[in-house]
């Protein structure tokens, strides 16, 4: 199976981001925000900046590490090569097919984090933009079973937002951590440098309307919805309602 056909069935709108990135950049290795320091930063370089921040918080290898939400498997393969005893999980078979095709040596389990179990504990469990898909209490309840150290890079609601599908409240996330015995040891506000990632897609989505309909089977309404939700996302970032954080917890 070729990769374009494989990501066609990634869940929406991840398939849209894959399509745009593949056409714009030639190859896609990561599905997370970049951290932009200059207007002309390439998205891959901005994404690498984010990964470097994460790696700087890892214990020295060899250590046992769990990656929650592996996407295309790039980070999992990288940390395995760095000497970590690394396990990666995602509930998405389509992503696993791509990740295994690219990185046959990576240790991948198809499961939701909420359902994952392992007999041995991990020195670190990390979430690079996967925590937003997991209910905060369930996340920290499961994390407490698996580890004493958690690192999260993700976006949150910083003020009350009532619309369906809104990001997790940061306050609720920190409360859930505390309830399960996790103490916050670091909080880095990356909102300013992460927000241009939304702009990157907004500048391109309308231009890709036809290819998105033709190649991914999206409807014109879905593309229009994506443009509308992207505009509202940009506005939420601009108003400081949404923000991006690196968070570190210990137990
Ligand atoms: C935005 S992607 C980020 C992928 C990757 N971490 C990266 O940075 O490129 C979100 C990832 O979280 C995964 N995910 C969603 N819900 C999950 C859950 N309940 N348990 C584990 N992973 C989940 C998705 O399948 C996907 O791999």
């Amino acid at each position: 199976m070729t990769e374009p056909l494989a990501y066609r069935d990634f869940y929406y709108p991840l398939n849209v981001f894959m399509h745009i990135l593949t056409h714009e950049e030639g190859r896609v290795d990561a599905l997370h925000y970049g951290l932009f320091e200059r207007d002309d930063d390439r998205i891959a370089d901005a994404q690498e900046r984010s990964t470097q921040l994460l790696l700087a918080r890892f214990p020295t290898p060899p250590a046992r590490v769990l990656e929650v939400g592996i996407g295309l498997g790039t980070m999992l393969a990288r940390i395995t090569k760095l000497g970590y005893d690394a396990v990666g999980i995602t509930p998405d078979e389509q992503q696993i097919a791509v990740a295994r095709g690219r990185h046959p040596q990576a240790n991948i389990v198809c499961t939701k984090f909420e359902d994952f179990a392992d007999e041995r504990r991990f020195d670190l469990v990390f979430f690079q933009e996967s925590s937003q898909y997991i209910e905060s209490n369930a996340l920290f309840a499961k994390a407490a079973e698996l580890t004493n150290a958690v690192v999260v890079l993700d976006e949150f609601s910083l003020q009350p937002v009532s619309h369906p599908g809104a990001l997790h409240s940061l306050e609720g996330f920190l409360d859930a951590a505390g309830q399960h015995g996790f103490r916050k040891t670091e909080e880095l506000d990356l909102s300013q440098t992460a927000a241009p990632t939304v702009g990157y897609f907004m500048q391109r989505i309308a231009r890709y309307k036809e290819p998105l309909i033709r190649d991914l089977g999206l409807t014109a309404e879905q593309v229009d919805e994506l443009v509308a939700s992207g505009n509202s996302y940009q506005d939420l970032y601009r108003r400081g309602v949404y923000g991006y954080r690196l968070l570190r917890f210990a137990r």
Side-chain angles (χ1 to χ4, degrees):
M1 200 197 300
T2 63
E3 284 205 353
L5 284 178
Y7 75 69
R8 188 184 192 280
D9 296 322
F10 277 19
Y11 63 80
Y12 167 87
L14 222 51
N15 55 351
V16 173
F17 302 140
M18 276 297 287
H19 205 48
I20 293 177
L21 283 169
T22 302
H23 284 82
E24 291 280 311
E25 311 297 326
R27 179 186 163 90
V28 190
D29 286 318
L31 294 171
H32 56 81
Y33 277 43
L35 301 177
F36 289 81
E37 285 180 356
R38 288 174 300 273
D39 288 346
D40 61 350
D41 272 342
R42 290 185 60 91
I43 190 157
D45 295 338
Q47 288 176 318
E48 172 62 15
R49 203 169 277 131
S50 157
T51 297
Q52 286 298 335
L53 277 186
L54 198 52
L55 286 172
R57 279 137 186 99
F58 273 40
T60 313
R64 191 151 200 265
V65 173
L66 176 68
E67 178 176 18
V68 181
I70 59 160
L72 305 168
T74 311
M75 179 68 160
L76 181 63
R78 184 168 175 176
I79 59 179
T80 302
K81 214 166 163 191
L82 284 172
Y84 290 99
D85 175 5
V87 180
I89 62 173
T90 173
D92 190 323
E93 291 282 7
Q94 313 288 342
Q95 288 169 25
I96 292 180
V98 173
R100 288 210 173 115
R102 288 182 176 192
H103 309 290
Q105 77 287 7
N107 183 0
I108 304 172
V109 181
C110 183
T111 178
K112 284 181 164 188
F113 181 61
E114 300 88 313
D115 301 333
F116 179 71
D118 200 291
E119 283 165 10
R120 290 164 57 214
R121 286 178 67 80
F122 291 88
D123 299 302
L124 174 72
V125 174
F126 73 96
F127 302 76
Q128 195 170 17
E129 282 175 37
S130 51
S131 71
Q132 61 183 270
Y133 302 98
I134 304 165
E135 195 276 319
S136 302
N137 262 301
L139 185 152
F140 283 105
K142 176 55 73 176
E145 284 176 20
L146 298 170
T147 191
N148 293 330
V150 169
V151 181
V152 174
L153 259 173
D154 218 327
E155 46 184 2
F156 295 91
S157 295
L158 309 179
Q159 298 171 26
V161 197
S162 55
H163 65 78
L167 292 171
H168 288 343
S169 130
L170 178 59
E171 200 187 340
F173 194 74
L174 297 178
D175 279 355
Q179 276 170 29
H180 293 280
F182 285 95
R183 179 170 45 85
K184 185 181 77 177
T185 56
E186 186 179 4
E187 177 173 351
L188 212 54
D189 182 357
L190 301 167
S191 309
Q192 293 293 324
T193 49
T197 312
V198 184
Y200 173 95
F201 287 103
M202 292 311 295
Q203 284 161 22
R204 290 164 175 83
I205 287 178
R207 184 150 51 82
Y208 275 88
K209 187 166 184 173
E210 286 311 314
L212 289 171
I213 293 169
R214 185 188 61 229
D215 303 336
L216 299 187
L218 259 65
T219 63
E221 290 71 34
Q222 278 177 310
V223 181
D224 293 343
E225 267 167 34
L226 219 51
V227 172
S229 79
N231 282 331
S232 118
Y233 230 79
Q234 270 187 314
D235 185 54
L236 289 162
Y237 264 100
R238 225 176 275 126
R239 291 193 287 121
V241 178
Y242 279 1
Y244 200 96
R245 293 286 190 275
L246 181 145
L247 296 165
R248 210 150 41 135
F249 300 93
R251 220 169 163 261

